[in-house]
Amino acid sequence: MSQENTSPHTDFEIDLTLEETRRRAAVMAALEPGWDPVAAMRAEEEAYDLLYSDLDERQRETYDMLVAAGVLPRREHGRAAT
């Protein structure tokens, strides 16, 4: 029985584990020593609160439509998106 591969396609595999490790190490090295991830998340939540505050009626309708479609999470003042 012949083991010849007559398929025009060749399987190609590459393990990106080492590259992912290098990428993560580079990210951590680039962060400042005083970087506070909790403060960064808090600032991001505050930015989203500002983004979705004071929407006019048409903007609110669009926002509600996007929430209903699952594109955006429902945001409530003072609470993280769920």
Side-chain angles (χ1 to χ4, degrees):
M1 185 178 241
S2 174
Q3 294 293 327
E4 284 185 31
N5 184 358
T6 59
S7 172
H9 303 288
T10 303
D11 289 337
F12 180 76
E13 294 180 18
I14 185 168
D15 184 1
L16 296 175
T17 305
L18 181 59
E19 290 305 316
E20 179 62 12
T21 302
R22 286 182 185 155
R23 185 195 67 79
R24 289 181 183 193
V27 168
M28 295 307 293
L31 293 175
E32 298 176 4
W35 181 68
D36 182 359
V38 175
M41 292 296 292
R42 191 175 303 122
E44 186 173 327
E45 287 298 318
E46 289 172 3
Y48 277 116
D49 287 343
L50 284 174
L51 179 65
Y52 295 113
S53 65
D54 297 325
L55 299 178
D56 64 26
E57 184 177 335
R58 186 168 182 211
Q59 291 169 327
R60 175 55 63 182
E61 289 173 4
T62 302
Y63 171 78
D64 290 338
M65 178 185 65
L66 292 171
V67 168
V71 175
L72 291 175
R74 170 73 57 195
R75 296 192 62 80
E76 298 178 26
H77 185 66
R79 292 185 52 192
T82 56

